[in-house]
Amino acid sequence: MGGENYNDLQAFLTVAREGSFTRAAAQLGLSQSALSYKIQGLEARLGLRLLTRTTRSVSPTEAGQRLQQALAPNFENIDAALAGLSELRDLPSGTIRITSSEHAAATLLWPVLKTFLRQYPDIRVEVISDSTFTDIAAERFDAGIRLGEQVAQDMIAVPIGPPTRLVVVGKPAYLDASPPIATPHDLTEHDCINLRFLTHGGLYAWEFEKGSHALNVRVEGRLTFNSLERILAASLAGFGLAYLPEDMVHPHIRAGRLRQVLDDWCPLYSGYHLYYPSRRQPSRAFALLVDALRYRSHKP
């Protein structure tokens, strides 16, 4: 395969995957005009149109789909082989893309990265925060971070934090002036601060469990955020109840700024896990990061 053909095929795969010349050009470090020229040249050599262009999107034609399906696995193997060669250098290198919930990124990933990146200056890490479960293969992430219960069974899942749970909290002044809360059903009488997912736009249903009884409650309130930090700030300001990670609100409970309710209805989860496809051979850089993040309940 000539260098020109390889680059043009890689350009085609990037455009087909991203569905946008703008995003593909940014990824490849090219101008949009240069990228369009590459695609036109490839189509001219093949005598086939590979992409359908509209004012809003770009999608593969039938020929483009066939080419994409045939090429994508081979290019992933080539990229993995090139990454393996780079590891023959003294220091590991490469870019690691991770999708993570906002809370896990702040409390577990970033504290490790601060030390890790100083130790390995040739490794780059891109972190995208999103509360929903992400198809890491389709979105070209190397790994994701979610609660263990959310990880698909065909993924390798490595624990990176202790067991955790979400708890319902409110400002004492708000709770004192509002109806009592004995069961999750009572939340329908309260202002609850909602979390909206970025990816699909849906609202998170508060999940409860007591014994064998599991219950999801669609709460209502005047405020909705896509950020846990904003939800916490609103609850501290007295605008209603929040359902947040226990470690996030514990200092405020201890200081008397928040009060917890429904304690016996808040289940314990297995904690955050780093997950990635079992079929992919991890690079040296990725393996080092996995080991650095791995949760050890009895660290020396």
Side-chain angles (χ1 to χ4, degrees), residues 177-276:
S178 304
I181 305 172
T183 74
H185 294 291
D186 296 327
L187 296 173
T188 58
E189 303 297 321
H190 284 263
D191 254 333
C192 296
I193 307 165
N194 266 304
L195 171 68
R196 187 176 294 282
F197 294 123
L198 283 174
T199 304
H200 57 73
L203 295 176
Y204 170 65
W206 294 14
E207 300 170 279
F208 298 100
E209 188 178 307
K210 188 175 183 180
S212 60
H213 188 193
L215 184 65
N216 288 359
V217 179
R218 296 283 180 181
V219 299
E220 294 186 2
R222 293 179 294 162
L223 285 171
T224 299
F225 296 99
N226 63 8
S227 163
L228 298 183
E229 290 288 348
R230 301 283 68 78
I231 292 175
L232 174 60
S235 188
L236 285 167
F239 282 97
L241 300 175
Y243 198 35
L244 293 167
E246 189 170 31
D247 64 295
M248 189 176 187
V249 298
H250 180 70
H252 301 289
I253 295 173
R254 189 172 54 194
R257 292 186 290 269
L258 293 174
R259 188 191 305 162
Q260 184 178 344
V261 296
L262 297 176
D263 180 66
D264 55 344
W265 278 93
C266 297
L268 190 68
Y269 297 107
S270 61
Y272 287 110
H273 286 62
L274 181 87
Y275 65 95
Y276 55 95

Side-chain angles (χ1 to χ4, degrees), residues 8-180:
D8 290 352
L9 290 171
Q10 185 182 49
F12 160 72
L13 286 176
T14 306
V15 175
R17 184 180 68 244
E18 295 298 326
S20 162
F21 271 89
T22 302
R23 290 195 296 269
Q27 264 196 39
L28 295 169
L30 298 171
S31 67
Q32 290 188 51
S33 59
L35 178 56
S36 181
Y37 181 79
K38 278 182 172 292
I39 299 300
Q40 290 171 7
L42 178 62
E43 290 177 327
R45 290 197 300 277
L46 295 175
L48 291 167
R49 182 168 290 280
L50 300 175
L51 296 169
T52 299
R53 304 162 178 84
T54 69
T55 55
R56 294 187 175 182
S57 65
V58 179
S59 59
T61 62
E62 182 181 355
Q65 287 177 345
R66 290 189 183 184
L67 185 62
Q68 183 182 14
Q69 291 169 359
L71 290 179
N74 295 317
F75 268 72
E76 288 182 1
N77 292 335
I78 292 171
D79 289 341
L82 292 175
L85 289 177
S86 70
E87 290 170 4
L88 297 177
R89 295 160 45 188
D90 292 337
L91 291 175
S93 63
T95 299
I96 302 170
R97 299 186 73 235
I98 298 174
T99 170
S100 172
S101 69
E102 174 192 12
H103 178 242
T107 61
L108 297 173
L109 182 56
W110 177 237
V112 170
L113 285 180
K114 286 190 292 185
T115 301
F116 181 83
L117 292 175
R118 290 190 179 100
Q119 187 175 0
Y120 301 106
D122 290 343
I123 295 178
R124 299 181 178 186
V125 179
E126 180 178 347
V127 180
I128 304 299
S129 293
D130 188 357
S131 299
T132 54
F133 189 83
T134 300
D135 184 339
I136 58 176
E139 299 296 329
R140 303 284 291 178
F141 286 103
D142 295 292
I145 298 176
R146 295 294 184 273
L147 291 173
E149 287 78 4
Q150 297 174 321
V151 178
Q153 292 184 350
D154 61 343
M155 294 282 175
I156 294 176
V158 178
I160 64 170
T164 187
R165 64 177 187 157
L166 301 176
V167 295
V168 182
V169 294
K171 190 171 182 177
Y174 168 85
L175 291 169
D176 292 341
S178 304

